[in-house]
Every structure is written in C-alpha cells, then in structure tokens.
Amino acid sequence: MSAGRPAVIACAERHLEAIRAIYNDAILGTTALYEYHPRSAEVVAAWWAAKRSAELPVLGIEAAGGRLAGFATWGPFRPFPAFKYTVEHSVYVAPDQRGRGIGRCLLDALVAEAIERQLHVMVGGIDAGNVVSKALHQRAGFIHAGTVRQAGFKFGRWLDLEFWQRTLPGPPAPVDG
C-alpha cells in the first residue's frame, strides 16, 4: 500500500485463493460468517462466476507484493423484484491487515459504487458481538435497523444478528417491475 488512503481495485481471478483464505479465517475463527466449514476452491470459483455473471462488484485492496489485504462485495438482499434497489454487502480484511483502515476504504468504495449504480439501500448483517464491524458501519453512516435474536448457533452458543443499513439517494425515478 502507498502512503495515505490505499487504492481500491476490482478483484481479479488471481485473487481467488486470497479471498478463500480470508473467508476461511472468518469461518473458522470468528462469528463474521455463520458457517461451519471452510470454503473449497471449487465453492469460491462458483461464487466468483456468479458475481461475474450478475455483474456484481468484488473490490479489493492489495498489500505489499500484490497480496490481497481485504475485499468487499454485495449481492441481492432478497430474491424478489421489489428489492432490486437494495443490496446486502460484506467486507472482509485479512487477519494481519486489520486495524489499518482497509475495511473503511473498502466500505466507502462499495458505497460509492452503490450510489453510482443508483441503489437505494445497503444492508449489512453483522453479528451482535462484532463491535469493530458495528463501529465501522456507524462511522460510515449506517444505522442499526434491527436485531434477530438467536438467529445462528456457532461455537456452542446462540448468536444475535444485527442489521445495519444506509439509505442512499437511489434512482431519481424508481420503477416497479
């Protein structure tokens, strides 16, 4: 990374193994993902193909040597047409890169991309115990929109899932259908 704000890039296929490593760290060691088993290379390749096919952003920041320091993306919030202006996003940072502002840069870039695409609402599902992610979202203009109590079970305990949202300008003339 250069001095100042790190450059956000569009991730490429060459980043898939790093994306998988970042995901798997979050799966195995945190409650950032309510999953139990690491993602295989095949699962991540299918995820990548789906993102490319749907023209969804996968943004990243590279650390020294071109190694991926973190990535961010979004997908549909719900699979119904009336939610077409709402997305659910995620931001993940490699364990050795946390605390360097990478998450904030990625989230800001994702918000800018959503505004450019005229989306109206961004939603983040955040484990209630993830104080770092909640603070990041609050600093980026997101508000707590609700909590689903005991939504998940991981590491031998029930987990509460909070939803954080940011309302964007959206399209000037939204349409049904």
Side-chain angles (χ1 to χ4, degrees):
M1 285 184 300
S2 61
R5 202 161 167 90
V8 176
I9 60 166
C11 286
E13 194 166 347
R14 68 182 174 85
H15 294 113
L16 289 187
E17 187 53 36
I19 287 171
R20 185 169 85 92
I22 293 168
Y23 264 139
N24 287 343
D25 173 75
I27 290 166
L28 295 173
T30 77
T31 55
L33 280 163
Y34 288 11
E35 294 182 40
Y36 299 125
H37 304 291
R39 294 184 181 184
S40 68
E42 295 77 19
V43 166
V44 173
W47 169 89
W48 177 257
K51 293 289 183 184
R52 297 294 73 160
S53 176
E55 299 181 357
L56 299 174
V58 181
L59 306 177
I61 292 176
E62 292 179 336
R67 189 174 61 85
L68 195 67
F71 71 96
T73 187
W74 73 56
F77 176 65
R78 296 289 178 266
F80 304 106
F83 291 110
K84 66 184 171 187
Y85 298 115
T86 302
V87 293
E88 185 169 359
H89 69 279
S90 55
V91 177
Y92 296 99
V93 178
D96 65 335
Q97 298 294 315
R98 293 179 187 146
R100 299 179 184 195
I102 291 168
R104 179 60 191 262
C105 289
L106 288 167
L107 184 55
D108 288 349
L110 212 55
V111 168
E113 180 74 16
I115 291 169
E116 184 176 314
R117 293 190 191 199
Q118 298 187 346
L119 296 173
H120 188 58
V121 175
M122 292 182 70
V123 177
I126 304 171
D127 181 71
N130 191 341
V131 295
V132 172
S133 186
K134 292 190 303 185
L136 165 69
H137 281 78
Q138 189 170 34
R139 286 190 307 270
F142 286 75
I143 60 168
H144 180 239
T147 302
V148 180
R149 306 274 178 219
Q150 299 182 2
F153 187 82
K154 187 174 179 182
F155 300 137
R157 67 184 190 275
W158 291 107
L159 304 172
D160 294 343
L161 180 63
E162 293 186 6
F163 286 99
W164 286 71
Q165 79 170 65
R166 180 167 166 181
T167 304
L168 308 172
V175 294
D176 291 336

